[in-house]
Amino acid sequence: MAEDPLLTIAGLRAGYGGKPVLQGIDLAIPRGEITAVIGRNGVGKSTLIKAIIGLLPPSAGSIRFGGREIGALTAHARARLGLGYVPQGRDVFPRMSVEENLKVGMSIRGAPNPDYDAIYGYFPILRERRRQAAGTLSGGQQQQLAIGRVLVGGPSLVLLDEPSEGIQPSIVQDIARIGVDLNRRTGLTIVLVEQNIDMIRAMAQRCFVMDKGRVTAELTPAMLDDRDIVRRHLAV
Amino acid sequence: MPGFDAVIGFLYQFGDAAAFLVLCASGLAIIFGMMGVINLAHGEFIMGGAYTTVTVAKLGVPLPLAVLCGALAAGAAGMVLERLVIRHLYGRPLDTIVATWGVSLIASQGTLILLGPSLSDISTPLGSVEIGALSYSVYRFVLMGVAAAILLGLYVLFNFTRFGVLARATIQVPHMAETLGVDTRLIYSLTFGIGAALAGATGGLYAPTMTLVPTMGVQFITEAFVTVVVGGGDVFLGTAPAGIVLGFIKSGMTTWEGQLAGQIGLLVAVILVIRVLPRGISGLMLRERA
Ligand SMILES: Nc1ncnc2c1ncn2[C@@H]1O[C@H](COP(=O)(O)OP(=O)(O)O)[C@@H](O)[C@H]1O
Ligand SMILES: [Mg+2]
């Protein structure tokens, strides 16, 4: 992992108001890999992701992306550097059509004539529903839209926060397959926060465990194949 | 044909009232509907637009260009105000009301001190036209057309342009727009500027029809608020229909019992709407569509 990680986090602290959540995170995300971050509810996984994308200001520590310190940048500046964020809960723009949602994701490129065919190729349902208001889609469709919306901007790192939450298994499998496919073909780096063991095993090449605002363990691919070990780290 | 004259006369009154309501409310509605900011300085942006327009027009600039100057001046002032005051108060609606009220007082009293109690005005252009037995101001017809054109322009801006899509995204889920690379602060600043520019344009458009005094904003702000309250947060589903309904009520009451009855009609309408439709006409429409 010594060889040039895409994202390096050192001593990162952040929280809400006076409440500290991240208590000094150290993490290196290798370029071109799918890295999972697991841990029980409330240990600070989403908080970590929000701090990386820039929705939460760090109180200490550093975040380096592609060799550049980004801890003081706004979220939109980080997005323009190639960070993509798919939030827990999806957060589609509810009163805009599917295609308008994609248009927002595309705007980062400033392409005058947007071409959504690649995204519609991955998620055919989005083409079918492209004129429909995003708020009226099912949970699984919204998740596909949230992922398509960030991919259309051509990020080099995608932060996926619990993409399987509340979604039917067939769509979870699709998402895992597409993530792996993108990673293999384009070298897209993915950070995956997940509770779903099957999804972690289907996607991740490497896995960190978080507890109480710290990274407490790293699981090797071999350990990932052992359901019991993974389950123990996810146990509530 | 007295019947014909009465009908045309009423339509003229109705169109004039509706155009006035739409023009003076659209800027307020955009700032409230898109940003949740209640801008009590709206009337002073109108005043500023009117003063700028008249000053520029007196230099010999044609009126349409002078109105454009008024709009741009108000829009620029709006962006400065957003930068210096409003930005620090997002998510704090009551503080924003107090702050913009303060700005409103400073602007009107400052104008009084610097420019005196009134500005000599310019005359209403375009003369009049006779339809049937009565004559009507041509400029009032122009105002009706401009009100319709501004609504259409806003519709196109917010639905079919890149700025419009990013602005709607920012309004719906700000943190998500930001993480998709949208400079949401810039969007807020521009949206506030557009609202202020619309106020300035309204002031400029009505400047030739009225006396310019530093407190002239007051004449607009009541009707602007009534229209926004009745319409709700959406400019197209709210402000436009509210302008039409209220314009009908106001012109009907005015024709029947005079100016005062028209004002009373507006206020009764707003009280009824608050009771029946707390989120205004657009709240009703959005709920029925969802
Ligand atoms: N917006 C917020 N304001 C205050 N506290 C929060 C907020 N979001 C999360 N927290 C708290 O921060 C801690 C970590 O939350 P989170 O990062 O969402 O955990 P995870 O994603 O690992 O389940 C929890 O104790 C949670 O209650
Ligand atoms: Mg979470």
Side-chain angles (χ1 to χ4, degrees):
Chain A
M1 212 204 299
E3 68 289 351
D4 186 28
L6 181 58
L7 182 74
T8 314
I9 295 166
L12 182 67
R13 291 172 181 273
Y16 303 94
K19 181 185 173 203
V21 176
L22 304 182
Q23 320 257 16
I25 297 267
D26 297 301
L27 198 60
I29 304 295
R31 194 183 294 273
E33 281 193 21
I34 301 178
T35 304
V37 174
I38 66 172
R40 290 170 292 113
N41 269 327
V43 297
K45 304 181 298 293
S46 295
T47 305
L48 170 63
I49 298 294
K50 285 186 217 160
I52 296 173
I53 190 64
L55 290 176
L56 208 58
S59 55
S62 90
I63 307 172
R64 297 184 73 78
F65 176 67
R68 177 169 174 189
E69 175 61 41
I70 59 167
L73 298 182
T74 60
H76 72 261
R78 298 185 203 194
R80 289 174 190 182
L81 288 177
L83 271 90
Y85 170 59
V86 181
Q88 187 170 11
R90 312 180 258 282
D91 287 340
V92 296
F93 302 113
R95 280 173 283 113
M96 290 169 64
S97 71
V98 165
E99 195 146 298
E100 285 175 328
N101 269 264
L102 295 178
K103 208 177 263 180
V104 178
M106 177 66 101
S107 78
I108 216 170
R109 286 186 171 175
N113 281 315
D115 170 22
Y116 306 121
D117 282 348
I119 300 306
Y120 289 151
Y122 282 123
F123 304 112
I125 187 73
L126 297 183
R127 186 198 298 276
E128 224 171 89
R129 300 282 159 96
R130 65 184 181 281
R131 308 233 175 279
Q132 194 171 322
T136 65
L137 300 177
S138 74
Q141 291 162 358
Q142 291 190 10
Q143 187 63 263
Q144 296 176 57
L145 177 56
I147 294 172
R149 183 178 61 178
V150 78
L151 290 179
V152 79
S156 49
L157 171 69
V158 171
L159 306 162
L160 279 176
D161 195 351
E162 303 218 20
S164 76
E165 192 184 49
I167 287 175
Q168 68 194 71
S170 69
I171 296 183
V172 173
Q173 282 172 17
D174 284 348
I175 291 173
R177 184 177 44 72
I178 290 164
V180 170
D181 180 61
L182 275 166
N183 169 259
R184 297 251 169 81
R185 281 193 310 107
T186 68
L188 179 69
T189 307
I190 298 176
V191 174
L192 171 72
V193 168
E194 239 332 317
Q195 308 266 14
N196 180 322
I197 299 184
D198 293 326
M199 186 151 197
I200 296 165
R201 292 183 50 203
M203 288 184 74
Q205 289 145 287
R206 194 183 293 273
C207 180
F208 294 100
V209 181
M210 268 183 79
D211 194 20
K212 297 192 186 127
R214 286 195 176 81
V215 175
T216 52
E218 178 176 352
L219 306 185
T220 61
M223 290 161 90
L224 278 178
D225 284 337
D226 186 335
R227 279 180 161 274
D228 287 337
I229 294 180
V230 179
R231 191 171 288 131
R232 186 155 8 100
H233 285 289
L234 290 173
V236 187
Chain B
M1 256 210 303
F4 173 78
D5 286 341
V7 169
I8 297 295
F10 176 74
L11 285 178
Y12 172 81
Q13 294 272 348
F14 162 60
D16 188 42
F20 180 77
L21 292 165
V22 165
L23 282 170
C24 66
S26 55
L28 188 69
I30 283 186
I31 289 174
F32 171 65
M34 306 286 271
M35 308 172 65
V37 167
I38 295 171
N39 177 22
L40 284 189
H42 183 68
E44 279 58 46
F45 284 109
I46 293 178
M47 182 267 291
Y51 268 64
T52 308
T53 300
V54 167
T55 308
V56 173
K58 281 185 188 159
L59 298 174
V61 175
L63 186 62
L65 276 180
V67 172
L68 190 65
C69 290
L72 291 175
M79 288 178 70
V80 170
L81 179 67
E82 195 275 343
R83 186 68 253 256
L84 295 180
V85 180
I86 311 286
R87 174 168 297 183
H88 308 285
L89 300 173
Y90 285 131
R92 290 158 65 184
L94 293 179
D95 298 0
T96 315
I97 290 176
V98 175
T100 54
W101 186 42
V103 169
S104 139
L105 294 177
I106 292 167
S108 57
Q109 297 304 310
T111 306
L112 178 65
I113 292 167
L114 291 176
L115 300 176
S118 75
L119 200 66
S120 67
D121 30 67
I122 53 177
S123 56
T124 308
L126 299 176
S128 62
V129 58
E130 297 205 355
I131 305 173
L134 299 172
S135 79
Y136 302 95
S137 159
V138 174
Y139 189 66
R140 296 275 170 183
F141 287 110
V142 171
L143 292 176
M144 295 175 209
V146 171
I150 282 183
L151 280 177
L152 182 68
L154 288 174
Y155 187 78
V156 170
L157 175 68
F158 281 104
N159 285 286
F160 301 114
T161 68
R162 190 175 120 101
F163 168 79
V165 169
L166 299 186
R168 280 157 57 223
T170 301
I171 275 66
Q172 291 181 26
V173 195
H175 70 270
M176 204 53 233
E178 177 77 23
T179 62
L180 289 167
V182 180
D183 185 347
T184 53
R185 291 186 148 200
L186 179 64
I187 297 277
Y188 283 131
S189 176
L190 288 172
T191 306
F192 201 90
I194 289 170
L198 284 170
T202 303
L205 287 165
Y206 283 94
T209 70
M210 60 202 311
T211 314
L212 301 201
V213 294
T215 52
M216 65 184 283
V218 177
Q219 299 172 51
F220 293 84
I221 197 148
T222 317
E223 310 212 358
F225 270 97
V226 165
T227 310
V228 171
V229 168
V230 170
D234 191 291
V235 178
F236 312 107
L237 297 176
T239 309
I244 289 167
V245 170
L246 293 173
F248 190 80
I249 293 172
K250 186 182 169 194
S251 51
M253 298 286 282
T254 304
T255 311
W256 175 54
E257 271 296 309
Q259 289 274 334
L260 183 63
Q263 295 293 334
I264 292 171
L266 281 189
L267 294 177
V268 170
V270 76
I271 290 166
L272 287 178
V273 167
I274 291 172
R275 296 291 305 183
V276 182
L277 300 174
R279 292 178 53 232
I281 296 175
S282 58
L284 177 78
M285 298 225 228
L286 286 170
R287 195 179 58 209
E288 294 206 331
R289 278 202 315 187

